[in-house]
Amino acid sequence: MNNSLKIVSWNINSIRARLDIVERFLREESPDILCLQETKVRNDQFPEGIFRQLGYNHLVLNGQPMHHGVAMISRVPLHKDERFDWQDNGEARHVGARLENGVRIENVYIPAGGEIPDRELNPKFGQKLDFYERMTQWSDKLDTPTILLGDFNIAPLEADVWSHKQLINVVSHTPLEVDTMARLQAAHEWVDIGRKFIPDPERLYTWWSYRARDWRASDKGRRLDHVWVSPQLTDTAVSHNVHEDARGWGKPSDHAPLITEFNF
């Protein structure tokens, strides 16, 4: 395996609806591994053909119809793939695999949590917190060098949202969620690669609502997507950026791709 790898995380919000922009991205950026969330398709209906035409012959899928779904699409071999049910209800929200160098990549789509930040009034919020708790228990026992990436659906820092004051009680930025995410991070001493390369308090967003008439002009973004690594992998990450332009391509996802380059 090449010591240098470009790995991408992207919540695509339906792979079949946005296959054209995914193809454009792969042709322009040529990553080695593409990790997708919210593929919204069964495994047997996943559009493998275009990926294989472009040399991505290693696919690890965990899909379901119309909702959720995650996928890893790679030019390099992937081994010992796993699917964890951190949602505890069978939803397709995780897939992971091992690289030939022993490093694991875990691709996750954490629940958004609904609209009300109260588990009694909103069971979806409780499911989100419980998902994080199961991931925290897993992280606490983790002894393998790992890249954890995907749509975490929490923007933890003030500079991770367009207005800390206006979003402090909005799901994805509440103090309870931020504390919950911090416990997950501490369980394995995960290193936040986004903030390694773009230090707080610099602006850093990965998601912009469809509701904005002009998403770029209003720039009401949030950093919901993340790339974390085990401490021993910190120095292997040599670059990281958010491909914001893809948010403006035809019929886009509301998330932008995260591109991280590693030199193992």
Side-chain angles (χ1 to χ4, degrees):
M1 186 184 75
N2 192 325
N3 286 333
S4 179
L5 285 181
K6 182 188 288 190
I7 301 175
V8 171
S9 176
W10 193 0
N11 180 321
I12 195 58
N13 192 16
S14 179
I15 180 60
R16 290 185 294 180
R18 308 187 208 287
L19 192 56
D20 56 339
I21 65 171
V22 173
E23 179 182 357
R24 173 180 171 180
F25 177 83
L26 293 178
R27 291 186 183 279
E28 291 183 5
E29 296 297 328
S30 193
D32 298 287
I33 302 172
L34 175 63
C35 297
L36 297 174
Q37 303 90 40
E38 263 199 291
T39 54
K40 296 184 178 180
V41 63
R42 295 193 325 232
N43 290 349
D44 61 357
Q45 295 181 338
F46 192 89
E48 295 187 16
I50 186 60
F51 298 106
R52 297 192 183 279
Q53 289 175 27
L54 294 173
Y56 294 88
N57 291 312
H58 306 277
L59 284 76
V60 181
L61 308 176
N62 185 14
Q64 66 184 83
M66 300 177 66
H67 301 284
H68 322 309
V70 284
M72 298 175 67
I73 300 154
S74 178
R75 283 178 168 158
V76 299
L78 299 173
H79 308 278
K80 295 186 177 179
D81 52 283
E82 295 181 299
R83 294 150 188 81
F84 300 142
D85 187 9
W86 285 318
Q87 180 76 342
D88 197 31
N89 64 0
E91 291 180 357
R93 292 182 174 273
H94 165 269
V95 70
R98 180 178 62 79
L99 299 173
E100 290 191 326
N101 63 5
V103 172
R104 286 199 60 85
I105 303 176
E106 309 292 353
N107 175 18
V108 66
Y109 172 46
I110 299 177
E115 300 293 329
I116 304 170
D118 184 315
R119 70 161 58 239
E120 301 301 323
L121 299 175
N122 172 23
K124 290 182 178 180
F125 190 70
Q127 288 178 333
K128 180 178 188 175
L129 298 178
D130 293 343
F131 192 108
Y132 263 94
E133 180 59 34
R134 294 183 189 101
M135 287 185 66
T136 300
Q137 294 173 10
W138 165 80
S139 291
D140 190 51
K141 300 178 178 65
L142 188 62
D143 59 3
T144 302
T146 300
I147 302 166
L148 176 65
L149 51 73
D151 181 356
F152 292 13
N153 262 312
I154 293 177
L157 304 177
E158 291 189 22
D160 290 340
V161 296
W162 65 272
S163 173
H164 171 65
K165 182 177 180 180
Q166 294 185 62
L167 296 177
I168 188 68
N169 294 315
V170 173
V171 173
S172 79
H173 191 59
T174 65
L176 176 56
E177 290 170 283
V178 172
D179 289 347
T180 299
M181 186 185 222
R183 288 193 299 104
L184 169 61
Q185 187 170 5
H188 184 62
E189 298 182 346
W190 292 106
V191 176
D192 179 353
I193 292 300
R195 285 305 181 185
K196 175 179 184 286
F197 287 94
I198 308 167
D200 184 39
E202 292 186 44
R203 167 198 173 282
L204 181 55
Y205 307 150
T206 68
W207 174 91
W208 296 260
S209 173
Y210 286 130
R211 296 175 184 174
R213 180 173 299 178
D214 186 336
W215 70 275
R216 195 183 289 276
S218 60
D219 200 28
K220 292 185 175 181
R222 305 180 204 177
R223 183 169 73 116
L224 303 181
D225 307 88
H226 301 267
V227 177
W228 289 1
V229 300
S230 297
Q232 62 265 49
L233 296 179
T234 303
D235 292 338
T236 66
V238 295
S239 73
H240 176 88
N241 69 85
V242 179
H243 194 302
E244 291 192 18
D245 286 349
R247 175 61 180 82
W249 291 352
K251 199 177 180 182
S253 170
D254 45 0
H255 296 254
L258 278 61
I259 307 172
T260 310
E261 293 190 57
F262 293 89
N263 192 1
F264 296 108

